[in-house]
Structures are given as C-alpha cells and as structure tokens.
Amino acid sequence: QVQLVESGGGLVQAGGSLRLSCAASGRTFSYYVMGWFRQAPGKEREFVARISWSGGSTYYADSVKGRFTISRDNAKNTVYLQMNSLKPEDTAVYYCAASARMIVTVSEYEYDYWGQGTQVTVSS
C-alpha cells in the first residue's frame, strides 16, 4: 500500500510557474513508476507526465512538453512537477499516481495508487 499526498497547487497568472509535490509513504517508493494526471471541469482525467523508478526516463503529454518537468527524489519519497509558462487551459485538479507495473503507458488504469489531488488555477 502506498499513500500519496499532493501539495503546491494554487492560483497563478498566465505565464507564471508552480511546483507541485507529491509525498509518498508506505511501501518502497523507488519501486514505483510515478505519474501526474489532471482533470479539468467537465473533462476526463488526462495524462500529464511520468517518470521511471530511477528518474532516468521521463515522458510528457504533447500539451505540456517543454513547459513542465517531472522529477523525483527517492531519498525524500517525493515526486515533483515543475510547471512553467502556465496557460489558462492548464487549469485542473492535478493528481499524482504510482504504478507497480514494469511497463507503463499513459493510461490511468495502469496506476495502482492515487493522491487526493491539488487544484491549479491559471488566470488569464
């Protein structure tokens, strides 16, 4: 069992930056692929980014590539999402998730544990 708690959300103007954190507890954090997803009002949850257990491999949705950076610190059991050049369309609840699978794509169904989410609002 893994417990995930996100933090760092808030209200920011377009063009600004935020850094989200996701603290994990429970089973060994470094065993899990970690991902970030988001859900805007009236829309389905969508993949944002993921990072391998070692941090050596990352993958991003096209909509955030070049603006967002995912990273992890296994010593601190924490994964981060640095969000720069934010746009109003980035407004959503952001969730971190953990997957115990060896191969993970962008599907939310491949993730085993989820945080409660943190709200990010970008004003124009």
Side-chain angles (χ1 to χ4, degrees):
Q1 195 79 342
V2 175
Q3 293 78 43
L4 303 172
V5 179
E6 301 97 335
S7 61
L11 174 64
V12 64
Q13 288 189 332
S17 298
L18 282 175
R19 188 175 82 153
L20 306 183
S21 299
C22 174
S25 60
R27 300 188 68 180
T28 305
F29 175 72
S30 60
Y31 289 172
Y32 293 89
V33 171
M34 299 299 296
W36 284 97
F37 288 76
R38 66 186 181 186
Q39 187 168 22
K43 295 187 177 182
E44 295 187 350
R45 189 155 55 186
E46 65 174 359
F47 169 81
V48 175
R50 72 164 185 264
I51 188 166
S52 63
W53 64 271
S54 67
S57 175
T58 58
Y59 185 76
Y60 298 91
D62 287 343
S63 59
V64 307
K65 200 173 296 182
R67 300 187 299 122
F68 290 11
T69 302
I70 189 172
S71 61
R72 68 191 294 164
D73 185 339
N74 287 343
K76 295 183 178 180
N77 288 357
T78 302
V79 62
Y80 306 96
L81 186 68
Q82 178 66 43
M83 306 186 295
N84 298 330
S85 302
L86 282 161
K87 305 174 181 179
E89 51 263 45
D90 293 319
T91 295
V93 177
Y94 282 71
Y95 300 89
C96 72
S99 175
R101 296 169 181 254
M102 292 295 291
I103 298 175
V104 182
T105 64
V106 302
S107 172
E108 63 179 296
Y109 300 106
E110 296 176 348
Y111 288 80
D112 306 291
Y113 303 102
W114 293 83
Q116 82 290 347
T118 185
Q119 176 71 47
V120 171
T121 303
V122 184
S123 63
S124 57

